[in-house]
Amino acid sequence: MSTAPALATATVPASRHSAEVAHPAVGAATGLLDAYTPGARFLATPTRTLLADGPVREVPHDTHPLTERVTETLDAARREGQANPVVIGAVRFDQNAPAALAVPERVQDAPPLATDPLIALPADLRAETQWDVVPVPAPEVYGAGVASVVDRMWRGEFSKVVLARTLELTADAPLDLPVMLQRLARRDPSGYTFALPTGTGPTGTEYTAAGRTLIGASPELLVSRRGGKVVANPLAGSTPRSADLAEDVRRAAALLASAKDLHEHAVVVDAVHGALAPYCTTLDVPAKPTLIRTATMWHLSTTVTGTLPEEGAASALELASALHPTPAVCGTPTLTARQVIAETEPFDRGFFTGMIGWGNADGDGEWVVTIRCAEAEGRTLRLYAGAGVVAASEPEAETAETGAKFRTFLHAVGADQ
């Protein structure tokens, strides 16, 4: 096994599919989770837990490719004495829009949350919050949008599009982001939990003031690179979980046999294969998907692994940029799906269905699909959820699927009662 990329002194596994750390320090990962305060950058993955605070070097926004700007920012940090600079942050659904990426002067690094026994302890609860919840668009409007898209598919205009909807939550008191982060992380410590400052909201909405935070817990790895090894884990095809064990197993089995969901998943896996193939010397794509589960959903999952050339290998961010957006969050063909999304969704996605993650100056890193998330500011949260629409989709089912996906965050804020 190759040496893990150096962020600090912790040694961690290469991916969520790797062996656990032999002797993780008890409390090291949960200590960083406990130390999070709004404005800091927190990211927990199946390989490590990161907390960055203090001064940062922002990655500028200009006409140069994002990967070039990130490389230049990391190189500048190295020239000024940082031994192992790391970029951390978020990229929008629209890669041409300003990202929220920075190279912090200090990054604390610990083993994964899942290896810390203290993660099993419950999160502290704050006083009960009263929430005003407004769906945008209304569920019936979202369903009508799904029906319209399905009609266009039957006319042969395109084959898939991912349609999203939002919930706008307003609290009766300022948001307690550390408690939300605790509840997200402790509910699924083996996933990808994050809280990242994003500055300003989507252009053209009321969410344009500074001081915004992107917070969430995504189940989906877009791509990771560790030395010459590449891992991608596309998810597509989902069903809500059930509290009844027998029903939960029935739903999982039905998903694994669903022609509609298997087709939707295959489209995404083929796209991932096509995007990674030019960068890899070998690429292994399993013939059939497996299942992964979160607290609220079952997903069809395929783990794609590859090997990079010894010379001129692409960085993790270059690979992620080549993959983004996959049909799992956009649709196919991509340009047509983007246009349909713009015509149908009555909001700017911003960072939702973009990517969040970290990367170092050696090209290693992890980039995650930004789902199961919300954008937070003051007393307001905007939650996002999407569903893949294909010709066999039914409006009621897709509306229910997005409702189930909202449950991850609704639970974290205590609004799921």
Side-chain angles (χ1 to χ4, degrees):
M1 181 175 291
S2 60
T3 303
L7 294 180
T9 58
T11 301
V12 294
S15 76
R16 70 188 306 164
H17 313 285
S18 302
E20 290 186 353
V21 175
H23 300 288
V26 174
T30 52
L32 295 187
L33 177 63
D34 294 341
Y36 167 77
T37 56
R41 291 164 169 81
F42 179 88
L43 175 61
T45 81
T47 78
R48 63 190 70 235
T49 305
L50 303 176
L51 177 66
D53 52 16
V56 299
R57 180 187 295 272
E58 300 284 351
V59 174
H61 177 69
D62 57 34
T63 58
H64 293 88
L66 177 63
T67 53
E68 289 185 12
R69 287 181 273 131
V70 168
T71 297
E72 290 172 359
T73 307
L74 288 167
D75 288 346
R78 261 185 170 172
R79 288 194 299 270
E80 293 191 4
Q82 284 188 246
N84 297 297
V86 174
V87 66
I88 184 170
V91 177
R92 297 177 188 264
F93 175 63
D94 178 2
Q95 284 196 68
N96 295 319
L101 296 171
V103 177
E105 287 188 7
R106 183 176 75 125
V107 180
Q108 299 179 74
D109 182 19
L113 285 173
T115 67
D116 189 334
L118 299 185
I119 197 63
L121 298 176
D124 292 334
L125 300 179
R126 60 168 289 172
E128 184 176 347
T129 301
Q130 299 298 317
W131 294 97
D132 178 40
V133 181
V134 178
V136 180
E140 61 272 18
V141 175
Y142 177 79
V146 171
S148 174
V149 165
V150 168
D151 286 343
R152 294 177 64 181
M153 288 180 186
W154 281 109
R155 294 198 297 268
E157 295 184 35
F158 45 89
S159 57
K160 177 184 176 180
V161 68
V162 178
L163 290 183
R165 64 188 183 103
T166 74
L167 296 179
E168 294 183 0
L169 277 64
T170 303
D172 62 350
L175 303 178
D176 192 333
L177 295 181
V179 167
M180 291 181 197
L181 185 66
Q182 288 273 352
R183 296 186 68 169
L184 287 165
R186 293 178 187 275
R187 197 177 196 203
D188 186 11
S190 62
Y192 301 87
T193 306
F194 52 91
L196 301 165
T198 56
T200 58
T203 303
T205 75
E206 67 271 32
Y207 301 106
T208 54
R212 307 203 67 211
T213 298
L214 179 68
I215 182 170
S218 174
E220 185 169 2
L221 173 68
L222 181 62
V223 68
S224 69
R225 189 196 112 163
R226 184 169 182 256
K229 302 299 182 183
V230 173
V231 178
N233 185 203
L235 308 181
S238 308
T239 194
R241 301 204 49 200
S242 172
D244 178 81
L245 178 59
E247 173 62 15
D248 196 41
V249 172
R250 188 200 68 77
R251 291 183 183 183
L255 177 62
L256 203 53
S258 166
K260 167 191 173 290
D261 290 289
L262 288 170
H263 170 70
E264 180 183 345
H265 187 79
V267 169
V268 178
V269 173
D270 287 346
V272 169
H273 178 272
L276 290 180
Y279 298 94
C280 296
T281 55
T282 65
L283 201 58
D284 179 50
V285 182
K288 295 181 179 180
T290 58
L291 290 171
I292 68 165
R293 63 187 177 186
T294 68
T296 59
M297 301 293 295
W298 285 103
H299 298 282
L300 292 177
S301 166
T302 295
T303 302
V304 178
T305 56
T307 304
L308 296 172
E310 293 185 5
E311 299 293 334
S315 69
L317 182 57
E318 288 178 277
L319 297 170
S321 297
L323 286 165
H324 175 67
T326 72
V329 297
C330 182
T332 186
T334 302
L335 292 179
T336 303
R338 280 186 176 276
Q339 183 61 38
V340 174
I341 289 169
E343 294 168 355
T344 309
E345 295 178 355
F347 52 84
D348 183 335
R349 288 190 179 188
F351 291 96
F352 173 64
T353 61
M355 54 190 186
I356 60 98
W358 68 272
N360 65 19
D362 295 327
D364 290 336
E366 298 170 281
W367 294 93
V368 181
V369 182
T370 313
I371 52 178
R372 310 295 190 277
C373 65
E375 290 184 290
E377 182 182 17
R379 300 186 180 191
T380 303
L381 284 170
R382 173 174 276 187
L383 280 61
Y384 297 85
V389 180
V390 295
S393 293
E394 298 177 354
E396 297 80 6
E398 306 303 344
T399 304
E401 179 178 324
T402 54
K405 290 174 177 176
F406 280 132
R407 283 166 46 199
T408 296
F409 213 98
L410 291 173
H411 171 80
V413 300
D416 58 345
Q417 305 301 320

